[in-house]
Amino acid sequence: MKHTLKYTFSVLILLVSFNVTSQETVVKDSLSTKKDSVAPKKERFGIRFGVDLFKLTRSFYEKDYRGIELVGDFKLTRIHYIAVELGNENKTVDDDRINFTTQGTYIKAGFDFNAYENWLGMENIIYVGLRYGVSSFSQQRNSYEIYNRDSYFGVTPEIIDGEKFSGLSAQWVEVVAGFKAEVYKNIYLGISLRVNRLMNNKQPENFDNLYIPGFNRTYNGDFGVGFNYTVSYFLPLYKTTIKAKEKKK
């Protein structure tokens, strides 16, 4: 009887051990299956296009300004974007001694570098970039006053001019910093600050290009500043699989 109980107890231990081992194997296999069944992370690539809201709304509340700027970028890699901006401006400037109108188009092309690492599922960017801008425009000198030292008030009566200067152009480089954040599915709001450096400036005789479409005022010499406030739509074209980073041993 004693040997029988001992044998039975040994068999029970073996059965329990076998059962525990089998359960551990099933759990490991299940976890392995779940791990293998997780879909790899995909990242979307495509074109984002939109409009500068600042120039668009400015045309409504500023009577001497009409302008529009279309913006776009293409996601080249995970952190590199090709960027283009195309615009048209018609601006009348009324200063103390001169009134003139500038009208023309411009294009700015370059790249952006995304310095922000998104969480899973996010596609926002905080970027710095560079642009090369080209503008073709005309100016009309509407009226002006000539400073006269012999006059008691220092100026002569206003001279109505109306002379138009065509075939003007300018080129510049532009350093850009800003961000674009997704506020709704594929809809992005963005803000950027620009610092410009004028490289080439074809201007008429006896009259400076005081305002250049796309560059803004040139009163401070060859340097200028600007900003834009955009809304854009992202059109996905394809997806790529992101490789998981290997853990350091």
Side-chain angles (χ1 to χ4, degrees):
M1 183 69 177
K2 184 177 181 181
H3 291 289
T4 302
L5 290 173
K6 188 175 181 180
Y7 175 76
T8 303
F9 183 71
S10 298
V11 171
L12 287 173
I13 291 176
L14 288 172
L15 289 173
V16 171
S17 299
F18 177 77
N19 186 44
V20 170
T21 302
S22 299
Q23 288 182 358
E24 288 179 351
T25 302
V26 170
V27 171
K28 288 181 179 180
D29 291 342
S30 177
L31 292 174
S32 178
T33 302
K34 288 182 179 180
K35 184 177 180 180
D36 293 339
S37 64
V38 175
K41 183 182 177 183
K42 298 279 188 178
E43 184 158 359
R44 303 187 303 168
F45 288 76
I47 299 173
R48 182 169 25 219
F49 54 90
V51 64
D52 181 0
L53 292 177
F54 174 68
K55 285 185 174 62
L56 191 63
T57 57
R58 185 181 175 187
S59 300
F60 291 99
Y61 65 79
E62 189 174 326
K63 66 177 183 178
D64 293 331
Y65 179 85
R66 294 291 180 273
I68 186 171
E69 180 177 281
L70 305 178
V71 299
D73 62 61
F74 175 72
K75 190 174 181 181
L76 194 62
T77 70
R78 293 189 65 191
I79 59 176
H80 296 100
Y81 294 75
I82 297 174
V84 177
E85 288 133 20
L86 177 65
N88 179 278
E89 288 187 296
N90 186 322
K91 169 72 174 173
T92 297
V93 177
D94 187 13
D95 281 347
D96 293 338
R97 294 193 177 126
I98 190 168
N99 181 293
F100 65 93
T101 300
T102 302
Q103 181 178 6
T105 60
Y106 63 90
I107 183 171
K108 296 184 281 187
F111 65 89
D112 292 329
F113 172 79
N114 182 20
Y116 180 69
E117 186 173 351
N118 284 289
W119 295 354
L120 181 65
M122 295 176 62
E123 293 177 320
N124 303 324
I125 65 171
I126 300 175
Y127 64 92
V128 292
L130 191 67
R131 304 282 190 276
Y132 188 81
V134 178
S135 181
S136 177
F137 56 97
S138 63
Q139 297 208 69
Q140 180 172 308
R141 190 169 54 198
N142 301 319
S143 63
Y144 62 94
E145 296 175 353
I146 299 176
Y147 181 75
N148 187 354
R149 293 182 179 180
D150 297 330
S151 173
Y152 178 78
F153 295 102
V155 295
T156 59
E158 183 181 54
I159 299 174
I160 305 300
D161 190 351
E163 185 176 0
K164 189 172 183 179
F165 309 95
S166 302
L168 308 177
S169 63
Q171 295 86 40
W172 66 92
V173 292
E174 192 169 283
V175 178
V176 185
F179 72 88
K180 294 177 183 177
E182 189 175 21
V183 294
Y184 192 67
K185 185 176 181 181
N186 296 333
I187 303 295
Y188 288 78
L189 288 180
I191 297 177
S192 69
L193 176 67
R194 285 112 190 287
V195 179
N196 312 330
R197 171 66 163 83
L198 199 61
M199 304 299 292
N200 192 339
N201 183 18
K202 180 182 178 181
Q203 57 190 24
E205 294 183 5
N206 302 321
F207 190 63
D208 291 337
N209 291 330
L210 301 177
Y211 188 93
I212 299 174
F215 184 89
N216 295 326
R217 288 174 176 256
T218 61
Y219 290 19
N220 296 323
D222 293 340
F223 289 91
V225 295
F227 74 96
N228 69 359
Y229 178 53
T230 62
V231 58
S232 54
Y233 177 80
F234 179 70
L235 178 64
L237 299 178
Y238 62 93
K239 296 180 180 180
T240 61
T241 302
I242 300 176
K243 295 181 180 180
K245 295 181 179 179
E246 296 182 358
K247 293 183 179 179
K248 297 182 179 179
K249 295 182 180 179

